[in-house]
Amino acid sequence: MRLTIHPVRRLAGELTLPGDKSITHRALLLGGLAEGTSRIRHFLDSGDCRATMACLRLLGVELQRGGEETLLVHGQGLRGWQEPNDVLNCVRSGTSMRLLAGLLAGQPFYSVLSGEAQLRRRPMDRVTIPLRQMGAQIWGRSGGRLPPLSIQGGALQGITYHLPVASAQVKSCLLLAGLFAQGRTTVIEPAPSRDHTERMLRAQGVPLESEGLRHSLEGPVKALAPLEITIPGDFSSAAYFIVGALLVPQSEVLLRGVGINPTRTGLLDVLAQMGAQIELLNQREEGGEPVADLLVHSQELHGAQVGGELVPRMIDEFPILALAATQAQGTTQVRGAAELRVKETDRIATVCQALRALGAQIEERPDGFVIEGPTPLHGTLVESHGDHRLAMTLAIAGLIAQGETAIEGAECIGDSFPEFEPSLDTLIKGA
Ligand code: S3P
């Protein structure tokens, strides 16, 4: 699908963001392991989350609509999943594959995790190496480095593991395997990453301990309580409208019900460094997560330095940050973000290539990029490379570029934000 975008005069109005993708995956999986039925309100019905749902059905978990935006997950208990009679297809969802790998390592049956070519290129040794240390029998192509993964689940032992990279998927995979392991599983992160798994397991009655970067639980856990949860709006989806409202002159946008878990909002810190003032209104808690309404209006930005512990706190926001930097006065430098090379695409390469095609001054570095701004952008034909976050970034770029911006392969936006285009349309005032 080709998405064409034209420059707009301003963005204005209000929007409620769709449910958070990371939290939806966890609610589906942990609901599927609970004793009894979980009620998940405002869940994200996107391509990636549907992949997790389809895997759960093959594992014997029944899912049922419980009214608008609500899903009922009929949990089978920690030991009630059945051996799937087919390959578990994670499609393009890395979160589905890595979290399921941890859970399936502890199940007394055989399973295979695979997905589309894009996912079959992504590194899995970050989970197969520690899972093997826990005693799991898990195989993958290239010695366990690449999917498909095949798993003969069984007895596990707790380990203490220092994560080589800050990754919430790997941390979650190991803590989930730890539910089934004998003894204590301890994961030590190099920097804080999103903590949705820890919050949810605690809400289900698991005495998971977190002390700074160290998270641990004692296995085997007997049972998980069902969830009653309203999923907060996805900060990573809100990010496109935050930057859109900052860059399009005369804009004012209110984004309602956005999750502001500090392990996710590094972009707000960087934008503040760049001179932006974003108001957090009506701060509250929903589903054990902090939530607020975000009021954003257009503002002048200047360049910033991004690196260190900020990186995992905004790991999915680098494409849209790069766009903001093209319009900021001076130099923006991103360092220590080599992880971007193993996302849905090599995001350092694809972001640099696409923004350069629109006229940006952006230079690739092994672990980031350097942008000189501001530069006027001009519309042209650009490629999403099947990366939803790049496609949405380019759509926002199209709002401020001269002429027409056409994004080839825009259907991937549905992986995280199927309602992106109609949501954007409601904010566009004056084409
Ligand atoms: C996610 C963690 C991050 C993020 C991804 C979702 C999660 O990946 O990029 O979109 O839900 O745990 P890594 O753990 O690979 O950093």
Side-chain angles (χ1 to χ4, degrees):
M1 187 197 104
R2 184 180 283 189
L3 175 63
T4 52
I5 304 277
H6 295 98
V8 298
R9 212 160 287 146
R10 61 192 287 256
L11 295 178
E14 306 184 7
L15 206 63
T16 299
L17 273 299
D20 185 274
K21 179 156 83 74
S22 290
I23 303 175
T24 299
H25 280 300
R26 286 155 173 81
L28 290 166
L29 294 169
L30 292 174
L33 289 168
E35 298 285 325
T37 299
S38 291
R39 185 179 293 273
I40 308 172
R41 289 183 213 89
H42 196 55
F43 75 102
L44 177 66
D45 194 7
S46 77
D48 279 10
C49 297
R50 283 186 176 197
T52 291
M53 292 183 214
C55 293
L56 279 172
R57 288 199 176 94
L58 272 177
L59 290 159
V61 177
E62 212 185 298
L63 306 170
Q64 190 191 351
R65 284 273 176 173
E68 212 188 322
E69 292 204 326
T70 300
L71 195 71
L72 302 178
V73 180
H74 298 291
Q76 299 298 302
L78 282 164
R79 285 150 198 94
W81 284 5
Q82 69 189 29
E83 183 171 83
N85 61 8
D86 201 351
V87 170
L88 298 167
N89 184 357
C90 300
V91 190
R92 290 184 292 275
S93 173
T95 308
S96 309
M97 184 169 285
R98 295 194 179 115
L99 270 54
L100 274 165
L103 291 172
L104 294 170
Q107 302 292 325
F109 54 68
Y110 176 73
S111 54
V112 178
L113 291 162
S114 194
E116 289 192 359
Q118 187 196 77
L119 179 57
R120 283 184 278 113
R121 284 194 288 270
R122 297 184 65 184
M124 293 298 148
D125 43 350
R126 51 184 62 197
V127 296
T128 57
I129 291 170
L131 286 174
R132 281 177 186 155
Q133 287 179 17
M134 294 178 81
Q137 297 188 70
I138 179 164
W139 302 270
R141 284 188 299 136
S142 304
R145 205 167 60 78
L146 294 170
L149 298 179
S150 61
I151 303 169
Q152 176 55 58
L156 301 177
Q157 307 101 49
I159 56 167
T160 295
Y161 192 70
H162 288 262
L163 294 186
V165 288
S167 159
Q169 291 178 358
V170 180
K171 171 177 65 174
S172 301
C173 167
L174 301 182
L175 291 173
L176 294 176
L179 296 172
F180 302 95
Q182 286 293 334
R184 189 157 280 278
T185 297
T186 303
V187 182
I188 302 152
E189 311 183 78
S193 67
R194 65 194 68 192
D195 64 356
H196 309 304
T197 303
E198 296 92 298
R199 286 172 186 254
M200 203 174 284
L201 283 173
R202 278 190 204 106
Q204 291 184 286
V206 177
L208 188 147
E209 288 167 22
S210 292
E211 256 186 70
L213 299 171
R214 193 182 178 94
H215 312 279
S216 85
L217 63 85
E218 185 76 27
V221 167
K222 286 213 182 69
L224 298 181
L227 296 160
E228 267 293 330
I229 187 176
T230 301
I231 309 272
D234 196 323
F235 182 84
S236 295
S237 296
Y240 303 99
F241 302 117
I242 295 174
V243 171
L246 287 170
L247 299 188
V248 177
Q250 316 287 327
S251 296
E252 185 170 273
V253 169
L254 181 66
L255 302 168
R256 290 197 185 276
V258 183
I260 52 159
N261 181 320
T263 61
R264 294 286 298 279
T265 53
L267 178 71
L268 292 182
D269 298 4
V270 175
L271 290 173
Q273 225 195 97
M274 295 172 86
Q277 285 178 11
I278 294 162
E279 282 182 73
L280 270 55
L281 309 173
N282 191 15
Q283 293 195 35
R284 56 208 187 263
E285 200 161 285
E286 266 173 30
E289 294 273 346
V291 169
D293 303 331
L294 270 48
L295 184 63
V296 195
H297 58 90
S298 28
Q299 287 164 71
E300 299 283 313
L301 302 176
H302 50 79
Q305 299 289 317
V306 185
E309 298 215 338
L310 253 176
V311 172
R313 293 180 50 235
M314 56 174 294
I315 192 66
D316 293 333
E317 280 64 74
F318 283 97
I320 193 69
L321 169 70
L323 174 65
T326 69
Q327 302 309 302
Q329 190 73 47
T331 308
T332 295
Q333 182 156 21
V334 170
R335 276 183 268 214
E339 268 296 287
L340 295 175
R341 295 206 181 268
V342 291
K343 295 294 175 187
E344 282 81 336
T345 57
D346 173 344
R347 281 189 180 148
I348 295 179
T350 54
V351 165
C352 289
Q353 188 194 38
L355 291 180
R356 207 174 291 131
L358 293 174
Q361 269 192 48
I362 178 166
E363 214 180 276
E364 193 173 327
R365 294 285 156 86
D367 62 342
F369 43 78
V370 183
I371 297 175
E372 293 294 336
T375 45
L377 301 182
H378 43 78
T380 183
L381 178 63
V382 276
E383 195 15 84
S384 76
H385 298 280
D387 186 333
H388 53 127
R389 304 215 180 275
L390 180 61
M392 289 186 274
T393 295
L394 294 171
I396 300 299
L399 303 175
I400 55 164
Q402 279 169 26
E404 181 177 279
T405 303
I407 302 138
E408 197 61 83
E411 62 282 350
C412 59
I413 289 173
D415 290 351
S416 66
F417 197 170
E419 296 299 307
F420 173 75
E421 206 188 331
S423 299
L424 180 59
D425 282 343
T426 64
L427 298 178
I428 291 178
K429 306 288 179 262

